[in-house]
Amino acid sequence: MQFQWYPGHMTKAKRQMQEDIKLIDLIIELVDARIPISSRNPDIDELGKHKSRLILMNKADLADAKRTEIWNSYFKSKGYFVVCIDARSKTGMKLIQNEIMEACKEKMERDRRRGIKNRPVRAMVVGIPNVGKSTFINTFAGKACTKTGNKPGVTKGKQWIRLNKNVELLDTPGILWPKFEDQTVGLKLALTGSIKDEILNVDELAMLFLEQVLPDYPGILTNRYEIEENKEAAVMLEEIAKKRNCRKKGDELDYSKAAALLIDEFRSGKLGRMTIELPKEWEI
């Protein structure tokens, strides 16, 4: 299966971000805690190299807790501030404000020395599709937020959302997408739902999941479907179809239905908490 996806409007989003980056103090980057590197856009490192950085590992409730700790240490070793969150349930959200202040401490100290007082930290939120960017902004901002309107030098249409007296978020419509050369990155993005299912072969995706991901988590299929593991992927998919009664008219097994079920149960966490990449694969 070939994964290739780089919509033209992503180039426009990158240009927009180059302009917006001049207006902010901090980049808040959301990643999927199950694939913390594959769900990042490498362009952001170059665009934001002179800015403070906060990484939010979202969907941490679906990720392997031990591997999340490994990733936490990895990102901190690279100089990032890190918070593990689940934006939907609000888990970890209370920790973010302090990390923003800590990440921008030097900037605020410089402001004080220049006689600039009470200027809020201005942050830009970035993240690839389906990583939870909108959910995070809505949860973090809450109902109390007020849009402060366009500021001088800011292109019409951008909005600054004042969270409190200390923090403003730049709400921009642009979303950056990773242009991946490595097909395993594409596979991981497809598995977690960042690539639209309509352009994927779900049967093939399920087979790749069984072959490449599952060996790290023995017992998952046995616990969920009461089937034997360590068989060929096609055999395991057939057994899942039988156990879940995935059938077409005429009582024929429906492999596509079983494949979609397997992928959906991975994405929703019903198979268990799983993280499908580790930092050692990405050491520079």
Side-chain angles (χ1 to χ4, degrees):
M1 182 185 287
Q2 286 290 306
F3 303 95
Q4 204 48 259
W5 185 248
Y6 196 74
H9 67 273
M10 298 301 173
T11 305
K12 182 181 176 183
K14 184 176 175 180
R15 282 200 304 269
Q16 187 67 64
M17 187 176 173
Q18 286 173 323
E19 290 301 309
D20 294 342
I21 214 90
K22 302 167 188 173
L23 309 170
I24 55 104
D25 310 303
L26 171 71
I27 295 174
I28 299 175
E29 180 182 4
L30 270 80
V31 303
D32 187 319
R34 297 166 295 178
I35 51 167
I37 288 289
S38 294
S39 58
R40 296 188 70 213
N41 185 305
D43 289 342
I44 293 169
D45 284 339
E46 179 61 28
L47 290 168
K49 59 187 175 184
H50 300 304
K51 302 293 179 178
S52 297
R53 303 288 297 279
L54 171 59
I55 288 186
L56 301 181
M57 292 177 61
N58 194 26
K59 306 186 183 182
D61 59 313
L62 300 174
D64 180 328
K66 289 182 179 176
R67 291 190 172 194
T68 295
E69 280 304 311
I70 293 170
W71 278 109
N72 200 335
S73 299
Y74 171 81
F75 284 129
K76 285 180 177 176
S77 74
K78 301 292 183 185
Y80 300 108
F81 290 83
V82 186
V83 181
C84 300
I85 66 167
D86 173 33
R88 289 177 305 171
S89 69
K90 303 185 181 180
T91 303
M93 297 294 288
K94 290 181 180 178
L95 303 173
I96 295 172
Q97 179 78 23
N98 286 341
E99 288 299 310
I100 290 174
M101 294 296 101
E102 191 63 30
C104 296
K105 191 161 63 174
E106 289 182 14
K107 191 240 25 143
M108 291 188 290
E109 186 55 42
R110 284 197 303 273
D111 280 353
R112 273 194 291 271
R113 286 199 297 267
R114 293 170 184 165
I116 302 169
K117 296 179 180 179
N118 303 321
R119 185 173 84 77
V121 168
R122 292 174 182 165
M124 176 194 292
V125 182
V126 298
I128 69 167
N130 206 42
V131 82
K133 178 171 166 268
S134 296
T135 304
F136 161 71
I137 290 174
N138 291 337
T139 303
F140 194 42
K143 293 180 181 176
C145 75
T146 56
K147 292 188 175 181
T148 58
N150 296 330
K151 292 185 177 293
V154 181
T155 306
K156 186 178 180 182
K158 291 192 191 69
Q159 291 287 350
W160 291 90
I161 300 172
R162 181 179 280 273
L163 300 181
N164 51 52
K165 65 178 183 179
N166 295 318
V167 182
E168 289 183 354
L169 289 185
L170 177 57
D171 184 18
T172 56
I175 300 174
L176 294 174
W177 186 276
K179 188 175 184 179
F180 42 86
E181 308 298 333
D182 184 348
Q183 288 296 297
T184 61
V185 173
L187 170 61
K188 291 166 185 175
L189 289 168
L191 285 171
T192 53
S194 283
I195 298 176
K196 290 182 179 178
D197 287 339
E198 297 85 71
I199 66 170
L200 299 170
N201 181 325
V202 72
D203 300 46
E204 205 173 331
L205 188 62
M207 300 279 272
L208 288 168
F209 175 73
L210 291 168
E211 290 167 354
Q212 297 183 27
V213 176
L214 222 58
D216 274 359
Y217 290 95
I220 287 269
L221 294 186
T222 304
N223 292 338
R224 184 68 182 165
Y225 305 113
E226 298 178 338
I227 67 171
E228 289 185 27
E229 297 178 1
N230 302 319
K231 295 181 179 180
E232 288 187 4
V235 175
M236 289 190 284
L237 192 60
E238 181 180 359
E239 292 187 4
I240 291 170
K242 289 176 181 175
K243 285 287 184 178
R244 286 292 187 264
N245 199 29
C246 299
R247 296 183 183 276
K248 302 176 183 177
K249 287 183 180 177
D251 212 35
E252 182 186 349
L253 286 175
D254 189 336
Y255 294 99
S256 293
K257 189 175 180 181
L261 173 78
L262 177 65
I263 299 304
D264 182 65
E265 296 207 330
F266 161 67
R267 289 175 181 169
S268 64
K270 289 177 182 175
L271 290 183
R273 296 175 63 161
M274 301 170 71
T275 298
I276 60 178
E277 65 186 9
L278 281 169
K280 64 184 178 182
E281 304 167 30
W282 302 91
E283 285 295 346
I284 298 169

